[in-house]
Amino acid sequence: MTGQVPGLQFRRPIPQDKEFDMNKQIAEGNWNQVLGKVKAQWGKLTDDQLKVIAGKRTELLGKIQSAYGVSADEAEKQIKSFETATL
């Protein structure tokens, strides 16, 4: 029982609803459709950046911040708006 604490269970965090939605789209084989919409929405993101993002919401947030020079709150706002309109 090395490295375990008796009576304590570690659980994977439950993803936020929107993160789950984005991941669900990818799992259903719709990433290519979503990818086209992401490219249309955030045209400054390169193909290499989009490969790294691969549908991961937190990666998308960071890449938007970097490419557009916006705060995390602004990037989150943009993603929420995109998800509402798209997913």
Side-chain angles (χ1 to χ4, degrees), residues 1-10:
M1 205 166 177
T2 309
Q4 294 182 355
V5 178
L8 186 63
Q9 295 181 10
F10 295 95

Side-chain angles (χ1 to χ4, degrees), residues 6-79:
L8 186 63
Q9 295 181 10
F10 295 95
R11 297 184 182 169
R12 184 175 173 206
I14 298 171
Q16 296 176 347
D17 291 341
K18 292 298 179 181
E19 186 167 355
F20 178 74
D21 287 347
M22 189 173 274
N23 291 336
K24 181 180 175 188
Q25 289 286 326
I26 296 160
E28 292 174 354
N30 294 330
W31 172 239
N32 289 332
Q33 290 176 345
V34 174
L35 177 61
K37 293 174 183 178
V38 168
K39 281 183 178 183
Q41 180 71 28
W42 295 286
K44 288 185 180 181
L45 299 178
T46 66
D47 288 340
D48 287 341
Q49 288 173 318
L50 292 168
K51 285 179 187 176
V52 170
I53 293 166
K56 293 175 280 207
R57 192 174 195 279
T58 52
E59 288 289 335
L60 176 60
L61 190 138
K63 299 299 182 195
I64 291 169
Q65 281 183 271
S66 176
Y68 290 89
V70 297
S71 69
D73 288 340
E74 176 59 28
E76 179 67 31
K77 193 179 195 181
Q78 289 181 21
I79 293 170

